[in-house]
Amino acid sequence: MNNRYEERLGTDRILPLVFKMALPAVAAQLVNLLYNIVDRIYIGHIPHIGTDALAGIGVTGAIIILISSFSAIVGAGGSPLAAIALGQGDRVRAGRILGNGFVLLLIFTVLTSGLTYLFMEPILRFTGASDHTIGYAMDYLSIYLLGTLFVEVSVGLNPFINTQGRPTIAMYSVLIGALLNIILDPLFIFTFQMGVKGAALATILSQACSAIWVLSFLTSSRASLRLERKYMKLNWNVILSILALGVSPFIMASTESLVGFVLNGTLKTYGDIYISALAIMQSAMLFVSVPLTGFAQGFVPVASYNYGHHNRERVKSCFKVAVTVMFTFNCVSVVCMIIFPSTIASSFTNDERLIQTVSQLMPIFLAGMTIFGLQRACQNMFVALGQAKVSVFIALLRKVFLLVPLALLLPRFMGMTGVFAAEGISDAVAAICCTAIFAMQFPRILRKMDTTPLNRSND
């Protein structure tokens, strides 16, 4: 078995290695950004119904995020554990993590899609759908749910390709789906006149192709860590370890859904136009968060492998690169969006009233995100080092402990503006707290690493 791709995680110079690992993931995520945004751009420009249809898609976003966040348990929770195991030389454990993770994704698919189908309309009403937008929301979601398995597999297993030091292969899995979606969207929406149903169909067909690509690689001889049937037998120790570390990225992802429920539900009182504005602004945030997610996919396997290999200096160097790049990119990008909000809004709609609404509210909504790159770097580093408990706390802090209460409280004093101000305040406070916690915990983690025996088993 050729493990040279894995071994470079512990030998190549850190700075070029991190960029070599991260740039394909960033490129893939940037195209994936179009994958997620292009639906809203096309839908927002459908003649006569664009604004209401955009609001309808906006309220489905919280449900879709919740469903896809289950894949983060396996992808973001299992892949660092597999990388640590590979760094320790324990290939059997790494194989069991991948195999059990795949089975978990199948279970998550059945549970999430089944429950959502059963309670679709009340969930959408709770999320903020009105009589004007509920039809569009149900049309989109009912088709999207048919592709839940493809979403879970492609998102949940793709990080295991990066874990093997194969970022280019991982990039292709995203590019295939994203480019196909961009091509199919206008075909189904406008040429076949399927509207929002066409957007959903394009999405699931594209995700199916991504899932096939991921599975074909992980089951082939090209993979140094393969998906094998013998490792799919459920092992509760393995599953519990995946769940323990995966709960943090799951909370990070799923609480976005909780926020969607709360924000859309509150804004429903003030009118559908504010739900449409929120959909645009949350899409704008993706222009920052998605590339950062790609960069994290690049540096996390490097940090995890060297943590498992007990190489303190390489772990420290990896974090220095991560925090510098993520903070700088995040700050510059957010400041640009705050300065030019109408440019962002006009990409999604021709409705002048909606553009004006976004222009007024976006600086308030994004203000606290200027320093949020600090939290992204620190929190992903905690996950890379297998620090489950502190990762869970930080994941809960921003959304559950801060944003949700503020989104319910501030409108009583600030009206509709308070809903958007809650995002900015919670982002800033969470970033400061996370950075302080990391500054205290990171030296302790490194010291503990020096006292832990290194497992060199290759059985």
Side-chain angles (χ1 to χ4, degrees), residues 146-160:
L146 297 175
T148 301
L149 176 61
F150 307 134
V151 175
E152 297 289 343
V153 168
S154 60
V155 177
L157 295 186
N158 203 40
F160 286 90

Side-chain angles (χ1 to χ4, degrees), residues 70-71 73-75 95-111 149 152-153 156-157 160 215 218 227-236 238-239 242-243:
F70 281 89
S71 64
I73 295 176
V74 175
R96 286 174 179 158
I97 291 170
L98 174 56
N100 278 244
F102 176 69
V103 176
L104 279 177
L105 292 174
L106 298 180
I107 295 171
F108 293 153
T109 296
V110 173
L111 292 177
L149 176 61
E152 297 289 343
V153 168
L157 295 186
F160 286 90
L215 289 174
L218 289 176
L227 179 61
E228 301 180 71
R229 183 176 298 178
K230 66 181 179 180
Y231 292 136
M232 293 182 191
K233 182 178 179 181
L234 294 182
N235 181 306
W236 289 108
V238 171
I239 288 178
I242 293 174
L243 294 176

Side-chain angles (χ1 to χ4, degrees), residues 399-451:
K399 298 298 185 182
V400 178
F401 298 156
L402 291 172
L403 181 52
V404 170
L406 287 173
L408 296 173
L409 180 64
L410 291 182
R412 299 186 179 186
F413 304 97
M414 302 172 62
M416 172 273 303
T417 305
V419 180
F420 296 93
E423 178 77 38
I425 294 171
S426 63
D427 285 348
V429 173
I432 293 170
C433 292
C434 179
T435 305
I437 293 171
F438 189 85
M440 292 185 291
Q441 292 291 320
F442 191 44
R444 181 191 64 79
I445 295 169
L446 294 178
R447 288 194 299 270
K448 183 178 179 180
M449 182 177 68
D450 290 339
T451 63

Side-chain angles (χ1 to χ4, degrees), residues 71-91:
S71 64
I73 295 176
V74 175
S79 63
L81 293 175
I84 292 172
L86 291 174
Q88 295 172 333
D90 192 346
R91 308 194 67 81

